Amino acid sequence: MIDDRLIVALDVPHAVAGLELAAKLGDAVNFYKIGLGMLTGGGLALAQELKDEHGKRIFLDMKLFDIGATVEAAVRGLAQFDLDFLTVHGDPHVVRAAKEGAANSDMQILAVTILTSLDRGDLDASLLKAGDVQELVIERAARAFEAGADGVIASPQEAALIRALPEAAGRLIVTPGVRPAGAALGDQKRVATPGQAITDGADHIVVGRPIWQAEDPAAAARAVLAELPPL
């Protein structure tokens, strides 16, 4: 059985490097995240090739944020690529617009709560609402669900609290900020191990550098999968 709970972030410079990495990973990975950094390096073409020619699932991590009409138009355009997940910021007006744009497709809209690279000091510097980061994440997740989000992006440290929300029933929780035991944290501040994230309620975990920087990426991916609870 293919284990789609692991999503590998293709945080490499361009589509050619992405295809090379996917070739190294082979059957070990079935789900890939393509982010904003890849957009000018052929990211959408890479998404199409991985999906159409290799049968992979694709998470397009654009974190869209704009006025409603612009978000709706952008999502409608992206929906034609028949991708699996698309991220937008979790502000209710953005989520509602994104759901309108995705209405005639199977693409699921995931709302970003608070980026896993941010802590309270970062939020203060951005003049964002005072309060405990976890409480703000839970509040943003609930509001995103109420606005129609199919799921949320949240750190694994908040996964259990979000899963406990009544609004979270039947919705997805996708967690970046996942680091295998012993891996470097990089720029992530709110982290957990793969097994802990799934146990705490995440449906999918996103792992990048610990896999693509490994000497043997496929072995690293299988090691992450081995840390997960049985399907």
Side-chain angles (χ1 to χ4, degrees), residues 128-215:
L128 294 178
K129 179 179 174 179
D132 178 74
V133 173
Q134 277 198 340
E135 292 176 2
L136 294 179
V137 168
I138 306 313
E139 183 178 355
R140 280 179 64 80
R143 292 188 180 188
F145 287 141
E146 289 168 0
D150 298 296
V152 295
I153 306 293
S155 100
Q157 294 183 9
E158 287 101 34
L161 296 170
I162 293 174
R163 182 54 69 203
L165 289 169
E167 299 91 342
R171 311 292 180 94
L172 295 167
I173 298 174
V174 178
T175 57
V178 173
R179 290 290 183 268
L185 298 186
D187 58 3
Q188 300 293 338
K189 296 179 180 177
R190 304 190 333 268
V191 304
T193 61
Q196 191 62 52
I198 295 293
T199 299
D200 286 347
D203 298 283
H204 300 274
I205 58 171
V206 180
V207 183
R209 277 166 288 196
I211 290 176
W212 61 258
Q213 286 185 343
E215 188 173 329

Side-chain angles (χ1 to χ4, degrees), residues 33-200:
K33 179 175 85 73
I34 295 174
L36 193 60
M38 172 79 81
L39 191 60
T40 57
L44 286 175
L46 174 62
Q48 282 295 95
E49 184 162 347
L50 287 174
K51 188 170 186 70
D52 296 342
E53 297 185 25
H54 302 278
K56 303 299 184 181
R57 300 184 69 193
I58 300 295
F59 164 15
L60 195 62
D61 187 19
M62 294 289 105
K63 299 184 182 71
L64 299 177
F65 181 88
D66 212 310
I67 64 171
T70 301
V71 170
E72 182 178 344
V75 173
R76 185 174 293 112
L78 291 170
Q80 68 183 324
F81 292 95
D82 191 30
L83 307 177
D84 295 274
F85 297 164
L86 172 69
T87 49
V88 302
H89 276 267
D91 305 64
H93 81 276
V94 175
V95 173
R96 285 192 291 268
K99 286 295 292 180
E100 285 293 322
N104 295 316
S105 74
D106 293 326
M107 186 170 67
Q108 294 182 291
I109 299 299
L110 305 182
V112 175
T113 51
I114 293 175
L115 298 174
T116 54
S117 60
L118 303 184
D119 57 19
R120 185 61 255 178
D122 297 314
L123 301 187
D124 290 341
S126 299
L127 304 180
L128 294 178
K129 179 179 174 179
D132 178 74
V133 173
Q134 277 198 340
E135 292 176 2
L136 294 179
V137 168
I138 306 313
E139 183 178 355
R140 280 179 64 80
R143 292 188 180 188
F145 287 141
E146 289 168 0
D150 298 296
V152 295
I153 306 293
S155 100
Q157 294 183 9
E158 287 101 34
L161 296 170
I162 293 174
R163 182 54 69 203
L165 289 169
E167 299 91 342
R171 311 292 180 94
L172 295 167
I173 298 174
V174 178
T175 57
V178 173
R179 290 290 183 268
L185 298 186
D187 58 3
Q188 300 293 338
K189 296 179 180 177
R190 304 190 333 268
V191 304
T193 61
Q196 191 62 52
I198 295 293
T199 299
D200 286 347

Side-chain angles (χ1 to χ4, degrees), residues 5-25:
R5 292 178 295 176
L6 170 62
I7 301 175
V8 171
L10 292 177
D11 295 333
V12 291
H14 45 68
V16 173
L19 283 174
E20 290 172 351
L21 177 57
K24 291 178 182 177
L25 290 166

